[in-house]
Amino acid sequence: MGKRSFEILDVTLRDGSHAMKHAFTEEQVRETARGLDQAGVTYFEVTHGDGLGGSSLQYGLSAVDELKLIEAAVEECKSSQVSVLLLPGIGVKEDLQEAVKVGAKMVRVATHVTEADVAAQHIALGRELGLKTIGFLMMAHMAPVEKIVEQGKLFESYGAEVVYVTDSAGYLLPHEVKERIAALKNELTCEVGFHGHNNLSMAMANTIAAVQAGATYIDGSLRCLGAGSGNTQTEVMVAVLERLGYNTGIDLYKIMDVANDVVAKYMHRPQEVTGSSLIMGYSGVYSSFLLHTQAAAQKFGVDERDILVELGKMKAVGGQEDLIYDVAQRFALKKSSLV
């Protein structure tokens, strides 16, 4: 097929963990991994939605130990390689070492967009372990372009081989993605990537903007399975980018088959732009807050949209899930005082 124009990295088995309430079974992981491998996907990610070590009461307990799922995915691959996500403070260096023992070949070290400095030792360890090592700047809408460039340079100085603009809230619009990707391309010598969420129905347009601005790593999930309204839809992305004249290196029919014959059957619900996820994109709220917010709204009898708008005003970030319940309780108290 010739040289690929870029790498499409599939995150169904990691970002999709949020939508699946972290309840992937080993068989679901094996079937999905097998399909991704047969379709020609070079890298795909397998971990708890919040990365290595994410299984907890705060973030949600995994039904199956993630090392077992990583190992199962690796066993199904003839050519694909398995990536893991690591958020410093949630996952620790020992978690990464254990993931490598069961076959992980890539690590994406994720920090808030202004906190790349907390990842220096994790990036260094990734390189030391021989992994493809990536820096992931989350909630990229929350910092100006100059700050993103500054933080990207830090990641590169620590040894990151790719730096990602991560639209964790699905808040960015195409011109904003283009501006951020282009700035990193101009200022860094390493490669640049983009990870989008579809809360404003912009994920595909944003991904195209990223590619046109020079991104060489782009993320997708099968059937959009991911936090909030999900990610750029992998199988649709392949078709769109091939139509635009790019070589994805992925077999369209085979990637459609794993999306429709495997993933669609185990999804808890269709991935749609719904009232709550739309408000997440509009307010700039972390996409993985969706299910937590719905649970809090039900518990306290308040409108989940009010919670999300307030979290947006507070500029809440990943790791602050406890704020969701604080805000819900505050709205409930206010509501009862008006009765």
Side-chain angles (χ1 to χ4, degrees), residues 20 31 82 114 213:
M20 294 288 292
E31 281 192 80
V82 173
T114 60

Side-chain angles (χ1 to χ4, degrees), residues 133-146:
T133 304
I134 292 173
F136 219 58
L137 292 171
M138 299 191 296
M139 299 293 276
H141 72 281
M142 293 183 74
V145 174
E146 301 74 30

Side-chain angles (χ1 to χ4, degrees), residues 67-324:
L67 290 174
K68 189 173 183 181
L69 297 182
I70 294 164
E71 186 172 31
V74 169
E75 287 173 358
E76 295 298 328
C77 293
K78 293 179 180 175
S79 58
S80 296
Q81 297 190 332
V82 173
S83 170
V84 293
L85 185 73
L86 173 64
L87 279 68
I90 296 177
V92 295
K93 291 193 287 185
E94 289 74 17
D95 291 321
L96 184 56
Q97 290 164 336
E98 292 301 313
V100 170
K101 286 179 186 174
V102 295
K105 299 295 184 186
M106 172 191 276
V107 62
R108 306 206 295 176
V109 182
T111 73
H112 184 61
V113 67
T114 60
E115 297 175 2
D117 60 319
V118 304
Q121 58 185 321
H122 306 84
I123 296 278
L125 178 61
R127 295 300 301 269
E128 185 185 315
L129 293 169
L131 300 172
K132 183 80 175 178
T133 304
I134 292 173
F136 219 58
L137 292 171
M138 299 191 296
M139 299 293 276
H141 72 281
M142 293 183 74
V145 174
E146 301 74 30
K147 189 71 174 178
I148 289 172
V149 168
E150 171 199 287
Q151 297 295 298
K153 284 181 175 178
L154 284 179
F155 266 143
E156 186 176 46
S157 74
Y158 304 148
E161 298 168 86
V162 188
V163 172
Y164 259 76
V165 171
T166 307
D167 185 18
S168 315
Y171 179 86
L172 294 174
L173 300 174
H175 69 280
E176 295 168 321
V177 172
K178 186 176 181 181
E179 185 181 23
R180 284 160 172 75
I181 296 291
L184 287 177
K185 283 292 290 182
N186 288 337
E187 298 288 339
L188 305 184
T189 56
C190 69
E191 293 184 86
V192 176
F194 176 72
H195 173 98
H197 279 266
N198 203 40
N199 298 333
L200 291 178
S201 205
M202 285 286 114
M204 186 66 69
N206 285 342
T207 300
I208 292 167
V211 168
Q212 291 175 337
T216 49
Y217 278 75
I218 49 176
D219 286 10
S221 61
L222 299 165
R223 294 293 286 244
C224 286
L225 187 64
S229 288
N231 308 95
T232 316
Q233 192 165 343
T234 304
E235 65 276 21
V236 180
M237 187 183 355
V238 170
V240 170
L241 291 170
E242 292 279 356
R243 276 218 57 210
L244 286 170
Y246 295 102
N247 178 13
T248 65
I250 295 173
D251 186 302
L252 178 59
Y253 283 11
K254 288 180 180 177
I255 200 73
M256 289 174 67
D257 287 346
V258 65
N260 299 327
D261 298 341
V262 179
V263 177
K265 290 178 180 175
Y266 62 62
M267 288 172 67
H268 291 175
R269 59 182 175 83
Q271 289 293 99
E272 300 171 325
V273 181
T274 61
S276 297
S277 57
L278 172 58
I279 291 295
M280 293 182 115
Y282 179 73
S283 302
V285 175
Y286 198 48
S287 291
S288 67
F289 282 11
L290 180 62
L291 295 182
H292 296 288
T293 302
Q294 290 173 338
Q298 189 171 10
K299 179 179 179 180
F300 290 101
V302 297
D303 191 323
E304 60 200 59
R305 294 171 296 184
D306 288 335
I307 302 172
L308 291 166
V309 168
E310 185 65 19
L311 291 168
K313 289 176 183 174
M314 295 169 73
K315 300 190 182 304
V317 298
Q320 295 182 312
E321 281 78 357
D322 53 329
L323 283 179
I324 297 169

